[in-house]
Amino acid sequence: MILGLFDQFFSPYFLGVPLLAIAIAAPWVLFPKPSNRVIHGRSLTAQNSFILNFTKQILLPLNVGAHKWALLLTVLMINLITLNLLGLLPYTFTPTTQLPLNMGFAIPLWLATVVIGLRNQPTIALGHLLPEGTPTPLIPVLIIIETISLFVRPFALGVRLTANLAAGHLLIQLLSSATLFLIDQMWPVAILTGLVMALLTLLELAVAGIQAYVFVLLLSLYLQENT
C-alpha cells in the first residue's frame, strides 16, 4: 500500500480504537519514579535538575501570585517536550502535530488566565484593550483590534506548535524518500541528501524542545498580564 505524504499525521487505530490517548499517556511511563533515598540515580538526578532549572526560569518574570501555576506549567512543558521528541523516532506517532489536541491545550489554559485577570483585577485586565493616550476617534477601532488580538492568542499558540512540528516531519519524509529514490541512480547525490536529512533531524531535536518551551513561555506571559 502506498501512503500519502500526510498519512503520517493521521491518528493510528487498532481494532477500530484510536490510539491517540495511549500516545499521550505512554511517555509518562518512561520517567523514573521519585525515590526517598538520599543518593538518587543519574536519570532521576538529571530529571530533578531539569525540572528545578526550568521552574526557576519560567517563574522568574512572574509575581508571587502566579507561582501557584508552577506545577501546571512544569508538567505541561515536560509533556510537550516528551511528545515532540518521541515523535521523531521511527514508526511512532506525534500527537502534537494534531491541531485539535494543541488547541485543547491552548484554549482552556489561555481562558483560565483571562478569567483570573477579570476576577482579580478587572480594571487592569479591561485596560489592556485600550492603550493609554489613545486619541478619542481611534478608541472604538483600537478596542476592536485589541479584542481580536486577545482572542487570537490561543489559536496562535496551537497553530505555531502544530505548524513547526508538521513542517519538520514533512521535510524529513521528503528527504528520506529522495534518498531512497536516488541511492540506485545517483548515489553521490543520495549521500548528500542523507547528510542533509541527518542535519535536519538534529535541527528537529532542537525545534522539539524550543517549541515546547515557547508554548509554555507565552502562556506564562499571558498569566503575568493577568496576575
Side-chain angles (χ1 to χ4, degrees):
M1 185 175 84
I2 300 177
L3 298 178
L5 187 62
F6 294 93
D7 288 347
Q8 61 175 316
F9 302 122
F10 294 158
S11 177
Y13 285 79
F14 181 72
L15 298 178
V17 179
L19 302 181
L20 182 60
I22 298 178
I24 296 174
W28 292 103
V29 182
L30 303 176
F31 293 108
K33 301 291 189 299
S35 173
N36 294 325
R37 294 183 300 177
V38 178
I39 301 177
H40 304 298
R42 293 180 180 178
S43 58
L44 186 58
T45 302
Q47 175 182 298
N48 293 338
S49 176
F50 170 79
I51 293 175
L52 178 62
N53 292 328
F54 170 75
T55 305
K56 288 181 179 180
Q57 183 69 25
I58 206 67
L59 296 182
L60 188 62
L62 302 181
N63 55 33
V64 179
H67 287 184
K68 62 183 69 176
W69 283 58
L71 178 61
L72 177 60
L73 294 177
T74 304
V75 170
L76 179 63
M77 172 66 181
I78 294 175
N79 190 26
L80 289 178
I81 195 172
T82 305
L83 293 175
N84 294 348
L85 291 175
L86 290 179
L88 294 174
L89 296 176
Y91 305 105
T92 57
F93 171 69
T94 312
T96 44
T97 57
Q98 306 294 308
L99 182 59
L101 175 66
N102 295 333
M103 296 305 299
F105 285 136
I107 292 179
L109 295 174
W110 164 83
L111 186 60
T113 62
V114 174
V115 171
I116 288 176
L118 293 175
R119 185 187 65 179
N120 295 338
Q121 44 183 20
T123 304
I124 298 177
L126 294 177
H128 291 156
L129 301 179
L130 184 62
E132 186 177 356
T134 303
T136 304
L138 296 179
I139 289 178
V141 178
L142 282 180
I143 290 178
I144 295 175
I145 293 175
E146 292 296 329
T147 303
I148 294 175
S149 66
L150 177 65
F151 284 95
V152 165
R153 285 180 174 181
F155 297 96
L157 284 175
V159 171
R160 180 186 294 106
L161 181 59
T162 303
N164 282 281
L165 294 178
H169 284 66
L170 286 175
L171 286 175
I172 290 176
Q173 182 175 356
L174 288 172
L175 288 175
S176 61
S177 300
T179 303
L180 292 176
F181 177 77
L182 295 172
I183 196 168
D184 293 330
Q185 302 182 11
M186 294 181 290
W187 63 267
V189 179
I191 293 176
L192 180 61
T193 307
L195 292 176
V196 174
M197 184 182 66
L199 295 176
L200 180 61
T201 304
L202 294 177
L203 177 62
E204 282 302 305
L205 290 174
V207 169
I210 291 172
Q211 290 303 316
Y213 178 75
V214 168
F215 188 96
V216 179
L217 178 62
L218 291 177
L219 188 62
S220 67
L221 294 179
Y222 299 157
L223 179 64
Q224 180 185 2
E225 290 183 359
N226 293 283
T227 54

